[in-house]
Amino acid sequence: MMRLRQGRGITMRVGVIVASHGEFARAALGSVEMVAGPQQDVRALALTADKSAETFEAEFAQAYAELKSECDLIVTICDIHGGTPFNVISRSILKGMDMVAFTGLSLPVLIELLLSRDQASSADEIRELIEAAHAQTLAEIKVEMAQGSSDEDDLDL
């Protein structure tokens, strides 16, 4: 469970909705759970080829309602800016669903969010955490052989 400390030691329970095209959200959550164990208060939603946007929107509304009944804050993250999951989240916000929402889902960002959530003390800290993790996720991999070596064991990483 994600708990945010507020003021005088009062904690706030936070739910997370991960949404994507295809099974990416479910696979990403599965990967996090492989590393960190089962995660509570998290829903992974998949927009599959056999699912209409309306059905996906209804699933999102149900996941939100379930989490909101138990949690004080909902954080959502989806895969592609402008895609159907993004549009569903945007419409939900316009309809009055209160949440902190991001696009740009990646495994490193989700891991950081789910593993660091107990350390955040506010919604703003959650925003900062996600933005910092996202800024660090894309980096070119550069490797070179140690000078004068041709053996793979001598790779200078």
Side-chain angles (χ1 to χ4, degrees), residues 79-122:
D79 56 354
I80 301 171
H81 184 275
T84 300
F86 172 92
N87 292 332
V88 164
I89 292 168
S90 297
R91 277 194 299 276
S92 297
I93 292 169
L94 290 172
K95 290 177 182 178
M97 292 183 191
D98 185 27
M99 65 188 84
V100 175
F102 288 90
T103 186
L105 172 63
S106 69
L107 185 55
V109 169
L110 187 59
I111 288 172
E112 184 68 25
L113 170 61
L114 295 179
L115 294 183
S116 300
R117 58 190 174 168
D118 289 333
Q119 299 167 13
S121 62
S122 68

Side-chain angles (χ1 to χ4, degrees), residues 77 100-103 109 112-113 123-137:
I77 187 165
V100 175
F102 288 90
T103 186
V109 169
E112 184 68 25
L113 170 61
D124 286 337
E125 281 189 23
I126 294 257
R127 287 180 181 96
E128 290 172 13
L129 181 136
I130 292 171
E131 290 169 0
H134 183 70
Q136 297 173 10
T137 60

